[in-house]
Amino acid sequence: MKLGHVAVDGTKLKANASRHKAMSYRRMKEAEPKLAAEVEAWLKAADRADRAEDAEHGADRRGDEMPDWVADKQRRLERIRAAQAQLEAEAASDPDDLDPDGPGPSSGMQERGNRKRGGDAAVPDKAQRNFTDPDSRIQPSQGGFIAGFNGQIAVDQAHQVIVAQRLATNPADYAALVPLVDQAHAHLGRKVREVSGDTGFASEANLAAMAERKIRAYLSPGRHKHGTAHPARKRQPTTSLMTDMAATLKRAARRSRYRLRKQTVEPVFGQIKQARGFRQFLLRGLEKVRGEWAMICTAHNLLKLAKAMR
C-alpha cells in the first residue's frame, strides 16, 4: 500500500431480512386494533368452547394446545405492539441521546440528516421497523429498495487493497469520510495524501476536515453526466469550499485526480459482490453484521496478498 491516493465509497447490501417484513407506523396503528379485536374474539370463543367441554367431559380433562393459526396471530400482535412502543420511545427521546455507534434513527424517522417528527403522536406515519432484523434500514438500491446496510470502504489506488472499512445503517455516505480516513491512519501509521469520493461524500464539513488533516480531497459536488468533463450539479454549491472544489474539478477536466476514484474503489465492490457473490448478510443485528463485513473485507485483502505472492 502506498496511500498516495485512496478512494472511498459505499454500497448497499441486503440484510438477512425482507423489506416486506417492515411495517410503517401508520399501518401499525391500523392493524393493531383489528388484530386485537380478532384475537379477543377467538379467545372468547375458545373460552366458551372450554366451558362447554368441561360441562360435557369434566374439568380435569383438556383438549389440544392452541392452534398454530391462532398463536401466529397473537405473536404478530405482540410484535406490532412492541415495534410501536420502540418507535414511540425513539421519537420521544432526545436526538442527542442516540448512540453514535448504534443503528441510528429508524427508516422514515429522518430526512436530510435531521430526525422528523409526526403530529401529536410524535412518530411519522412512514417510520418503519423490520420484524426480522430491527437494526436493518430501508436502503435505496438499483432494483428499488431493500432492507439492508451500507458497507463503506477506503481503497488504496496502487493495488486495490482495502485500508479502512465501516458499516452503517444510514444510506448517506457523508458521515463516513472522516472515520475511514482516520481509521486508515490509525491502522497503518501513515497519513493518506489524497482522497477521492463521489457526491455522497462532498460537504463543507468534510472538505474542512480534510484541509485540517492536510489531505488533498477530490470530492465531487455533483454527479458526472456521461460525455461531460465536469460534474453536473443538481444545485449550485453555496459555500466557499464546495465552490472551490467544483472549480478545481472543472479546471482539471480529464486530468483530474478525481478520475482515479472510479477505477480504484468500484472494482473492489464488483469483486466482492459479483465475483464472490456476496450480496446479502447471513447474520442479524448491527454488531454481528459489522463483524461479517469486516471478515469480507479481510478476505478481499488476503486474496490480494496471495495473488501478489505468487
Side-chain angles (χ1 to χ4, degrees):
M1 294 167 293
K2 297 183 178 179
L3 298 182
H5 187 97
V6 168
V8 296
D9 204 356
T11 188
K12 307 305 186 291
L13 295 153
K14 289 183 179 180
N16 187 358
S18 169
R19 66 183 179 90
H20 300 294
K21 289 295 183 180
M23 180 180 282
S24 69
Y25 187 71
R26 177 173 60 84
R27 284 189 58 209
M28 290 179 192
K29 290 189 294 184
E30 294 171 354
E32 191 271 339
K34 293 179 182 178
L35 273 175
E38 196 173 355
V39 170
E40 184 179 5
W42 287 342
L43 293 177
K44 286 181 178 179
D47 185 56
R48 289 194 298 269
D50 285 343
R51 288 197 298 268
E53 290 172 356
D54 287 347
E56 181 180 356
H57 302 293
D60 58 337
R61 300 184 64 184
R62 56 167 296 190
D64 294 334
E65 298 295 331
M66 183 183 293
D68 289 342
W69 56 273
V70 176
D72 287 345
K73 288 282 188 179
Q74 197 162 23
R75 283 195 294 267
R76 182 167 178 80
L77 176 59
E78 292 169 358
R79 288 200 300 268
I80 289 175
R81 285 174 172 169
Q84 276 186 286
Q86 290 165 348
L87 287 174
E88 289 164 1
E90 180 181 336
S93 66
D94 188 336
D96 295 333
D97 292 338
L98 284 175
D99 182 0
D101 293 325
S106 297
S107 296
M109 290 284 279
Q110 65 176 343
E111 185 174 12
R112 295 180 181 176
N114 298 317
R115 197 171 72 184
K116 295 192 295 185
R117 296 280 184 175
D120 296 335
V123 182
D125 284 341
K126 292 184 178 180
Q128 295 187 16
R129 296 283 293 186
N130 192 288
F131 297 131
T132 308
D133 187 349
D135 286 350
S136 67
R137 297 290 183 263
I138 298 299
Q139 308 281 344
S141 180
Q142 290 182 347
F145 292 89
I146 61 171
F149 300 90
N150 188 359
Q152 299 154 331
I153 55 175
V155 180
D156 185 63
Q157 189 266 334
H159 299 287
Q160 293 179 347
V161 172
I162 299 174
V163 295
Q165 58 82 21
R166 183 174 183 267
L167 186 118
T169 58
N170 192 336
D173 288 325
Y174 64 90
L177 181 62
V178 172
L180 288 173
V181 167
D182 288 348
Q183 183 187 135
H185 189 186
H187 287 173
L188 302 174
R190 286 176 53 193
K191 187 174 66 176
V192 173
R193 291 197 293 271
E194 294 179 355
V195 63
S196 61
D198 63 15
T199 185
F201 292 91
S203 71
E204 180 82 0
N206 279 344
L207 289 171
M210 295 302 101
E212 181 182 351
R213 289 162 174 76
K214 295 181 172 54
I215 297 174
R216 291 191 295 275
Y218 301 91
L219 307 178
S220 173
R223 296 183 182 277
H224 280 275
K225 286 185 177 180
H226 291 292
T228 62
H230 60 276
R233 295 182 295 279
K234 294 181 179 179
R235 58 183 185 276
Q236 292 291 331
T238 57
T239 59
S240 59
L241 291 177
M242 291 282 277
T243 302
D244 291 345
M245 177 54 59
T248 298
L249 296 182
K250 181 178 180 180
R251 184 169 57 251
R254 297 187 180 277
R255 299 188 306 276
S256 173
R257 302 287 288 174
Y258 177 76
R259 292 177 62 82
L260 294 174
R261 182 200 69 84
K262 184 176 291 188
Q263 68 192 52
T264 299
V265 67
E266 292 190 5
V268 175
F269 286 136
Q271 291 158 22
I272 290 174
K273 298 176 78 172
Q274 187 65 30
R276 296 173 201 133
F278 185 82
R279 296 179 177 272
Q280 181 172 355
F281 290 103
L282 300 178
L283 303 179
R284 295 171 182 167
L286 183 59
E287 289 306 311
K288 292 181 180 179
V289 170
R290 279 176 171 166
E292 192 173 354
W293 179 238
M295 291 179 67
I296 291 297
C297 294
T298 301
H300 170 86
N301 284 351
L302 288 173
L303 287 169
K304 289 286 185 182
L305 180 62
K307 185 177 180 180
M309 294 176 66
R310 288 176 184 173

